[in-house]
Structure formats: structure tokens, C-alpha cells
Amino acid sequence: MTLLAVESSVVLARELVRYALANWTFERAAIDDSAVVASEIVTNAVNAAYGREIRIRIAVRAGAALFECWDPSPELPRSREAGPDDLDGRGLAIVAAYAKDTGIRPSATGVGKVVWALMP
């Protein structure tokens, strides 16, 4: 699904994950964890490509939820240390804590990248 890289798309992506996984009869805990991961990944995409298009995909691989988000920015997300009063800087650590596996790959079109997370 194509979304505009704006703050409200984070909420929309989170709800789309909830809807898809509920329809695929995932357990509530898996749905909640996947929604958190999607929210963090889409937030990074919005920050990287504000006002442009981003794309999300939700799928099932070997019984596990797979979330992917493409954005047109060549800049890779990077981990950083967040202080106790910082409002951001924890997203990749949150994704790594919840996901079974995660990664970044170049887009098949050569524009931008895809950030993905496979849930347990």
C-alpha cells in the first residue's frame, strides 16, 4: 500500500497491521508486537522521506508476520544512543527487541531502500 510520508501514516500503518494480522488469526500479543514494530519502521520512513510516497507490505512467511516499508531516501536508518530525556533514537532498538529478524535491502528499482522485520 502506498502512503504519504506524514505523521498520520504511522497510525494508519499500525492499524493496517492490526487488521491484517487479526484477519489472519494471529494471537493478540503477536498483533500488538507487530503494530509496535510497524510503527517504528514507518516513523523512520516518514522522517527520511517527509512529504513523499512510502510503501508498506504485510505478509506471512512460514507462519510469521513480515512487515516491509520502502522509502525513496538513500539514507540508511542508524542506531544511536538515546538519553533518558530524548524523545527519539530508540526505534531500531525497539524493532530489534521485538523482531525475530530485521534488515535493510536496496529497492529493486534502485531508488531508496526497504526496511523489513520478521516477527517471531
Side-chain angles (χ1 to χ4, degrees), residues 80-86 88-90:
R80 57 188 171 104
E81 286 291 319
D85 296 329
D86 290 342
D88 58 6
R90 295 174 187 81

Side-chain angles (χ1 to χ4, degrees), residues 20-99:
L21 298 185
N23 280 313
W24 292 330
T25 66
F26 277 75
E27 293 182 9
R28 172 60 55 196
I31 294 169
D32 292 343
D33 292 352
S34 297
V36 168
V37 166
S39 180
E40 295 299 335
I41 291 173
V42 173
T43 296
N44 283 346
V46 166
N47 290 337
Y50 195 83
R52 297 175 6 203
E53 287 185 347
I54 60 174
R55 293 187 193 101
I56 64 169
R57 185 169 82 105
I58 309 157
V60 177
R61 292 284 185 265
L66 172 67
F67 181 78
E68 297 177 321
C69 182
W70 170 86
D71 73 67
S73 172
E75 186 176 331
L76 300 178
R78 56 185 169 83
S79 295
R80 57 188 171 104
E81 286 291 319
D85 296 329
D86 290 342
L87 297 177
D88 58 6
R90 295 174 187 81
L92 292 179
I94 291 169
V95 170
Y98 280 94

